[in-house]
Amino acid sequence: MKKIILPFLLFSILFSCKDDKVIKIQGAQTPVKNQVVKDSAVNDEVVVEEDVKNDFEILLPDGYRDDQRQNPANSLNKDWIDLFEQNGSYYLGKTDFTIEKGYDECVGDSIRSIVSKNKSILFMDYPKLKLGKIKSLKLTKNKIWPGEKVTLKFENADYVFRAEGKVISTEKRILDDNKEEIYKKVENYKLFLKTNNGPEKLLLQVETFNDTFVELLFAGDIDNDGKLDFIFGANRDYEETRVMLFLSSKAENEEPVKKVSELAIQFDC
């Protein structure tokens, strides 16, 4: 299968790990291309790890394989909330979509694709969210490599990301648009976050990556509490898409955010 090399380059720049980057609100970020997530140990189904307890479900605008006549796309309805981009800004609104039926020749089974009428980033089964325009950050970097530290500034608060891990190798890659990217093979990756003088929280950790890496896909105030929320892509394999949603309003014990939902879908043959 053709490898997909990190499709969120519009957010990416290189920086030195000696200097923090401070990013202020400059409008919404450029919309990202959505993918779907999977676990390489399980075939053709949405995978929820044993330690993953979702507060509510999330979906992406993409194709989903049938599994014993069940399909994740069937759960999406008009009561879900759509996080979408429009003219450089981000909004929460009711879902507006169609379901297209197809056939996955790779595995020889049916597929249902969610086709949104908006430039959707994420669908959330969380009707308590306030609809309308939301504040967001224009990201200039979406990968935080081991040894690096990045600071985002939002509503007079500093959000400091710090990464740990072992860099096995580093290489330059030429992408489809002829742009050059630095890719690092990383093991035992950990990403931490702290806000101002609050406690540092371990957001996520991945033991190994197969030709992919963790990416910050979105940073903005999804739950309308004046604090940043985050969407991460944490694919462990190039044939996997794993998305994690973190909300500040669900955080406990003075932590900055809590992971409220995770989606993992497999699309290998």
Side-chain angles (χ1 to χ4, degrees), residues 22-244:
V22 178
I23 304 175
K24 299 183 179 179
I25 299 176
Q26 300 175 353
Q29 67 192 67
T30 305
V32 299
K33 180 181 178 181
N34 295 289
Q35 295 177 300
V36 190
V37 186
K38 64 150 195 177
D39 190 311
S40 58
V42 183
N43 291 324
D44 312 336
E45 61 184 27
V46 173
V47 177
V48 179
E49 299 174 350
E50 292 183 359
D51 60 345
V52 175
K53 295 182 180 179
N54 291 339
D55 289 15
F56 53 85
E57 299 306 310
I58 57 176
L59 287 170
L60 294 167
D62 216 306
Y64 296 81
R65 295 170 176 173
D66 285 347
D67 178 34
Q68 299 179 352
R69 297 184 178 182
Q70 300 295 319
N71 194 298
N74 295 336
S75 62
L76 183 64
N77 59 56
K78 300 295 183 180
D79 293 327
W80 284 46
I81 303 299
D82 182 8
L83 170 61
F84 64 94
E85 184 271 339
Q86 185 177 44
N87 299 322
S89 297
Y90 283 84
Y91 299 84
L92 294 176
K94 293 294 185 179
T95 56
D96 190 1
F97 68 96
T98 58
I99 300 293
E100 294 184 356
K101 297 181 180 180
Y103 186 77
D104 189 340
E105 295 183 356
C106 183
V107 294
D109 204 349
S110 299
I111 187 172
R112 289 175 179 259
S113 297
I114 300 173
V115 181
S116 178
K117 296 182 180 180
N118 299 317
K119 293 181 179 179
S120 300
I121 306 303
L122 191 70
F123 300 118
M124 298 168 282
D125 186 13
Y126 193 38
K128 294 182 179 181
L129 294 173
K130 182 179 179 180
L131 304 185
K133 185 177 181 179
I134 63 175
K135 293 181 178 180
S136 60
L137 294 182
K138 184 178 180 179
L139 301 175
T140 55
K141 178 178 178 62
N142 73 329
K143 302 178 187 69
I144 306 172
W145 300 104
E148 293 183 341
K149 184 184 290 187
V150 171
T151 300
L152 305 182
K153 192 172 186 65
F154 184 83
E155 299 289 359
N156 298 317
D158 290 336
Y159 294 77
V160 183
F161 290 95
R162 182 181 65 85
E164 295 179 356
K166 182 178 181 180
V167 177
I168 306 301
S169 62
T170 301
E171 63 182 80
K172 292 183 180 180
R173 294 181 174 181
I174 304 300
L175 305 167
D176 292 339
D177 56 4
N178 292 323
K179 290 185 178 180
E180 186 178 272
E181 179 196 32
I182 297 296
Y183 175 77
K184 299 179 182 181
K185 183 176 178 59
V186 176
E187 292 182 352
N188 300 319
Y189 182 76
K190 294 182 179 180
L191 182 64
F192 300 87
L193 172 65
K194 67 175 298 183
T195 305
N196 293 338
N197 295 321
E200 188 175 63
K201 175 182 176 62
L202 175 63
L203 288 187
L204 57 89
Q205 61 184 84
V206 180
E207 291 185 5
T208 59
F209 298 93
N210 183 14
D211 209 14
T212 186
F213 192 64
V214 171
E215 302 178 29
L216 176 57
L217 307 181
F218 177 84
D221 188 7
I222 295 174
D223 52 21
N224 195 40
D225 66 349
K227 302 176 183 179
L228 277 183
D229 309 301
F230 304 98
I231 301 174
F232 279 92
N235 309 350
R236 294 155 292 191
D237 187 90
Y238 69 90
E239 292 181 321
E240 174 184 59
T241 305
R242 183 169 64 145
V243 176
M244 299 178 179

